[in-house]
Amino acid sequence: AQSVTQLGSHVSVSEGALVLLRCNYSSSVPPYLFWYVQYPNQGLQLLLKYTTGATLVKGINGFEAEFKKSETSFHLTKPSAHMSDAAEYFCAVTTPNSGNTPLVFGKGTRLSVIA
Amino acid sequence: KAGVTQTPRYLIKTRGQQVTLSCSPISGHRSVSWYQQTPGQGLQFLFEYFSETQRNKGNFPGRFSGRQFSNSRSEMNVSTLELGDSALYLCASSELAGRTDTQYFGPGTRLTVL
């Protein structure tokens, strides 16, 4: 069975500092990985996704993530935090050709940005 | 294109009642998935519909049911509501069936059970 672990339910950074949100996955086959962001009282918005090919994936709003198979990780980064980045971030995993296994989400990491 | 819409946005019910939530997917999308989001359990998959057929169902009791219409709009129903059903219910649509196609989420329906 697949699973996702997001280390740190709450991360706080200063405006302009590096953002690093950690995601580790468990999957017996090559996974597809996603990062979603959720702003208060809104649904989830896709930031970026990894399927195959280049392991460094660039997304919207300056975010990027790197798929590291050896570390089973897919950490999300942004060089310089902005106040508008304050939100909850979810990492999710699924696998192609895995029958009816649904998208599995991590518990989420709430990002706070301090002025 | 308009995004995924969900109605109503907020709902208050009492224990024992039933509720129906509606989801209209992005035009052209044929797959609709439903998720329950709570502070304790996070995001949990409820079910997925594609072309009016339920393709997959999560680990929820039979009180939770859904359906999809020929225009791809979907409804989910919860009968005999319990306090623990209070949650944000999210609907997501995608062009194709399955989890690998990008899912686009609606704003959710926040259900409060008193």
Side-chain angles (χ1 to χ4, degrees):
Chain A
Q2 302 154 81
S3 66
V4 173
T5 301
Q6 291 186 240
L7 294 175
S9 59
H10 186 206
V11 170
S12 186
V13 301
S14 298
E15 191 174 21
L18 171 72
V19 175
L20 170 61
L21 304 182
R22 300 178 186 274
C23 171
N24 288 89
Y25 68 90
S26 172
S27 176
S28 59
V29 297
Y32 283 11
L33 295 156
F34 304 79
W35 274 101
Y36 282 88
V37 61
Q38 186 178 32
Y39 298 100
N41 298 317
Q42 294 187 28
L44 277 66
Q45 179 184 9
L46 181 69
L47 279 175
L48 49 81
K49 68 177 180 180
Y50 168 79
T51 54
T52 58
T55 57
L56 182 61
V57 181
K58 294 186 184 298
I60 62 172
N61 302 339
F63 285 93
E64 62 182 36
E66 186 171 10
F67 171 62
K68 292 188 177 181
K69 182 179 178 181
S70 61
E71 298 177 9
T72 61
S73 69
F74 190 58
H75 302 331
L76 182 71
T77 61
K78 181 174 180 178
S80 177
H82 191 272
M83 297 296 289
S84 61
D85 295 327
E88 187 142 23
Y89 293 79
F90 294 91
C91 182
V93 65
T94 188
T95 53
N97 305 317
S98 60
N100 290 326
T101 306
L103 196 60
V104 176
F105 286 88
K107 293 290 189 183
T109 297
R110 183 169 300 279
L111 175 67
S112 297
V113 182
I114 304 167
Chain B
K1 283 184 181 179
V4 177
T5 58
Q6 292 186 245
T7 56
R9 290 292 311 276
Y10 302 91
L11 207 48
I12 300 175
K13 292 286 187 179
T14 56
R15 279 180 298 173
Q17 288 187 308
Q18 74 164 17
V19 66
T20 298
L21 312 182
S22 180
C23 171
S24 293
I26 292 172
S27 178
H29 285 194
R30 296 165 63 190
S31 175
V32 173
S33 297
W34 288 89
Y35 297 84
Q36 182 195 64
Q37 185 179 22
T38 59
Q41 299 299 318
L43 279 151
Q44 293 186 286
F45 172 77
L46 280 158
F47 23 67
E48 177 192 5
Y49 287 88
F50 181 79
S51 294
E52 302 179 66
T53 301
Q54 187 181 88
R55 295 188 72 251
N56 198 3
K57 189 178 192 303
N59 188 26
F60 278 81
R63 300 185 297 106
F64 291 81
S65 63
R67 59 177 175 168
Q68 186 180 35
F69 302 95
S70 58
N71 62 357
S72 295
R73 189 178 70 85
S74 178
E75 289 180 348
M76 67 163 282
N77 183 277
V78 187
S79 62
T80 319
L81 284 166
E82 301 177 359
L83 295 179
D85 297 333
S86 294
L88 180 67
Y89 290 88
L90 293 165
C91 163
S93 76
S94 59
E95 288 188 53
L96 306 173
R99 301 72 45 210
T100 57
D101 196 30
T102 299
Q103 295 189 11
Y104 296 86
F105 284 78
T109 294
R110 184 165 296 282
L111 172 65
T112 301
V113 181
L114 303 176

